[in-house]
Amino acid sequence: MKAYLISDNIDTLVGLRVSGINGIVVHSKEEVLKNLDIILKDKDIGTIILTEKIGALIKDEIREIKLSKYFPLVVEIPDRHGSIKKDDSILRYVREAIGLKI
C-alpha cells in the first residue's frame, strides 16, 4: 500500500518525496476535495497524509472518511511552521480515548 500527501506548501511535499511519498500541493477547499475524491478511488493508496491546515479546510469530510471507511488511513501532520494544535494534543487524545488523566 502506498501513502499520498495533500499539502498546502511545497516544503512538506519535497520533504516527503525524499522518503518516497508522492503528493500534491493545493490551496483551496475545492482543489482539496477534487483531489481527495480521485485519491479515494485509488485502491493502492492505504494512507492519506494531510497537513493540519488542509485538514482544517475539510474537517467534516475527514470525519466522514474516518467513520465510514476502514481504508485509507487519514493522518494529519504539522507543516514546516509547526503544529497549529495545542501543545498537549496527544494528552488530550489519550484523555478522550480512554478517559485517563495523565
Side-chain angles (χ1 to χ4, degrees):
M1 295 238 144
K2 298 182 212 173
Y4 195 86
L5 170 72
I6 302 177
S7 178
D8 62 323
N9 66 68
I10 193 75
D11 296 329
T12 304
L13 178 63
V14 170
L16 288 180
R17 275 201 180 151
V18 169
S19 66
I21 297 173
N22 288 324
I24 191 164
V25 175
V26 292
H27 298 288
S28 70
K29 183 175 181 175
E30 293 77 26
E31 287 178 307
V32 175
L33 293 175
K34 176 183 163 191
N35 285 288
L36 184 62
D37 188 47
I38 294 168
I39 294 165
L40 288 172
K41 291 176 183 172
D42 187 344
K43 300 302 178 192
D44 289 335
I45 296 177
T47 306
I48 299 173
I49 304 168
L50 307 168
T51 54
E52 290 177 341
K53 290 180 183 176
I54 294 295
L57 284 176
I58 59 167
K59 198 179 317 181
D60 295 332
E61 289 82 356
I62 291 172
R63 185 179 304 116
E64 179 68 28
I65 292 168
K66 287 181 176 181
L67 293 175
S68 67
K69 297 181 184 248
Y70 183 69
F71 277 109
L73 174 66
V74 179
V75 180
E76 291 182 55
I77 63 169
D79 62 12
R80 68 183 176 102
H81 299 291
S83 180
I84 59 174
K85 296 180 179 181
K86 296 179 184 176
D87 292 334
D88 70 340
S89 61
I90 293 176
L91 293 176
R92 183 175 44 87
Y93 290 142
V94 170
R95 267 184 254 137
E96 290 174 2
I98 62 173
L100 179 63
K101 188 172 182 178
I102 300 175

